[in-house]
Amino acid sequence: MNAARMPRPGRAAEMMIETTPYPRASVGDVIIEVHAAAFTPGELDWEPTYVDRAGRDRSPAIPARDVSGVVVELGFGTNPSDLRVGDRVFGMIDRYRDGAAAEYVAVEARDLALVPDGVEHTQAAALPMSGLTAWQALMVHGGLTAGQRVVIHGAGGAVGQLAVQIARNAGAEVIGTGRAHDRKLVVDCGATTFLDLAEQPLAALNGTADLVFDMIGGEILAQSTALVAPGGTLVSIAAPPATQPPAGRAVYFIVEPNRTQLIELARSLAAGEITLPAPVLYPLTDAPQAFKDKENGVPGKFVLRNENAQSRAASQPR
Ligand SMILES: NC(=O)c1ccc[n+]([C@@H]2O[C@H](COP(=O)([O-])OP(=O)(O)OC[C@H]3O[C@@H](n4cnc5c(N)ncnc54)[C@H](OP(=O)(O)O)[C@@H]3O)[C@@H](O)[C@H]2O)c1
């Protein structure tokens, strides 16, 4: 099969499209014919992209953590009453194994959910990592409840747009931050206010946020501890916060696959409670160019489409 592979940690310029062996299903895995895959900025630098859970080198590595496709094989130990050959599924692949920038991928069945009827693979692939990250930041690590005020840094990005919508749906007051060009987008997602980080001082929000969700890091993260109200929380996915808020707590986390949360995100998407921006589409064979464009700051959620995908969803009702 064809796959995009990185020979070692580095820049996208080193990525190649290569002929690689068809994946093997380990216990509890299914094999998916990839219809669409998505990636996140920075994943080519992550150590787990190139090693297994024991730290053993598994390069050359296939990137792209998000997948949407059709189940073509059930591995030993999978429950056929759970997933079946022919199911349309999507999910986030564990970081310590090969990703979805390939024609086929082996994924743990427990990390997958059914793609809702009417949702395209190219839409579904854009949801798992961004949606799970936003959900876990707000609901799991941030403990967000209705009526609270949340500040979301980088609100116009892939994670940010979903975070704004999830927080709004939870009944929170949302202040989105970022660059001026994202103001309308962020307000349309449900933010009450937008703060242009280049023009407006963050200090105006000092001590007022029940929850701050940072995905920018650096100086913005450093300033964010002061925003947290007494009893509040700073959640970062960019870097571990260097200091704790004076009367709150600060958390850094790495997103984990979670089927229950994925099912809730799929339900919200199908119900129109959350929407995804139109993905920036590339053929799978142009994966190296897509990663290069992302490195060069081209905005949007990039989705790779496998134009050779053959499998159709099974027609039997579930
Ligand atoms: N820890 C984890 O588990 C985890 C999970 C997912 C993602 N991440 C990380 O979280 C970050 C966000 O992911 P994403 O997929 O949402 O990326 P993205 O789509 O590129 O979004 C990032 C957003 O932040 C804005 N931004 C970045 N730097 C800024 C600055 N200095 N001032 C104002 N706005 C700024 C960007 O604006 P422009 O586009 O205009 O620059 C963009 O709107 C990435 O670094 C990713 O690697 C971590």
Side-chain angles (χ1 to χ4, degrees):
M1 67 168 188
N2 285 322
R5 292 207 294 190
M6 285 291 289
R8 63 187 76 83
R11 310 278 293 173
E14 292 198 62
M15 191 182 293
M16 308 260 286
I17 298 291
E18 296 176 328
T19 302
T20 65
Y22 181 82
R24 198 172 61 84
S26 300
V27 174
D29 284 354
V30 299
I31 303 292
I32 298 174
E33 185 181 34
V34 176
H35 282 236
F39 60 92
T40 215
E43 67 170 75
L44 298 185
D45 295 329
W46 299 346
E47 191 200 2
T49 302
Y50 303 93
V51 299
D52 67 15
R53 282 191 178 269
R56 289 176 295 236
D57 180 23
R58 53 177 185 76
S59 57
I62 301 174
R65 314 276 25 116
D66 286 331
V67 64
S68 186
V70 174
V71 176
V72 292
E73 190 183 321
L74 300 178
F76 180 78
T78 50
N79 179 353
S81 65
D82 175 24
L83 293 181
R84 299 183 223 163
V85 169
D87 279 345
R88 284 178 4 117
V89 292
F90 78 124
M92 188 182 86
I93 302 164
D94 185 276
R95 294 177 306 141
Y96 289 90
R97 52 195 299 169
D98 271 337
E103 290 179 289
Y104 295 88
V105 63
V107 187
E108 286 187 85
R110 65 182 177 179
D111 294 342
L112 297 167
L114 296 176
V115 177
D117 288 344
V119 173
E120 302 285 331
H121 287 298
T122 49
Q123 269 185 295
L127 182 59
M129 183 182 283
S130 299
L132 290 170
T133 303
W135 182 274
Q136 290 169 20
L138 298 169
M139 300 305 184
V140 178
H141 300 284
L144 186 66
T145 56
Q148 290 190 326
R149 172 184 272 193
V150 54
V151 175
I152 299 175
H153 296 314
V159 178
Q161 287 181 52
L162 284 162
V164 171
Q165 295 176 76
I166 291 168
R168 173 204 63 192
N169 294 347
E173 177 199 354
V174 183
I175 300 175
T177 83
R179 297 190 213 279
H181 62 78
D182 280 334
R183 179 184 299 276
K184 180 173 184 322
L185 175 66
V186 173
V187 170
D188 287 348
C189 283
T192 320
T193 316
F194 180 85
L195 197 128
D196 173 359
L197 289 171
E199 295 293 334
Q200 296 169 275
L202 261 184
L205 299 172
N206 277 356
T208 67
D210 299 298
L211 176 59
V212 180
F213 177 22
D214 175 54
M215 56 202 96
I216 294 177
E219 187 53 31
I220 300 302
L221 174 58
Q223 290 178 37
S224 288
T225 50
L227 308 188
V228 177
T233 307
L234 165 62
V235 176
S236 172
I237 59 167
T243 54
Q244 292 287 315
R249 67 193 178 98
V251 185
Y252 169 76
F253 80 99
I254 293 173
V255 61
E256 289 290 338
N258 184 298
R259 178 187 275 183
T260 306
Q261 294 164 6
L262 200 57
I263 290 171
E264 174 56 17
L265 288 163
R267 187 204 61 74
S268 303
L269 182 66
E273 294 167 11
I274 55 172
T275 55
L276 293 164
V280 182
L281 291 175
Y282 290 78
L284 174 61
T285 44
D286 283 352
Q289 187 60 47
F291 275 85
K292 275 183 218 154
D293 288 350
K294 189 41 103 179
E295 279 181 356
N296 291 331
V298 176
K301 183 72 184 180
F302 285 24
V303 172
L304 309 171
R305 185 169 45 192
N306 176 14
E307 291 171 329
N308 292 330
Q310 304 282 331
S311 305
R312 296 281 163 261
S315 54
Q316 73 269 27
R318 295 187 68 86

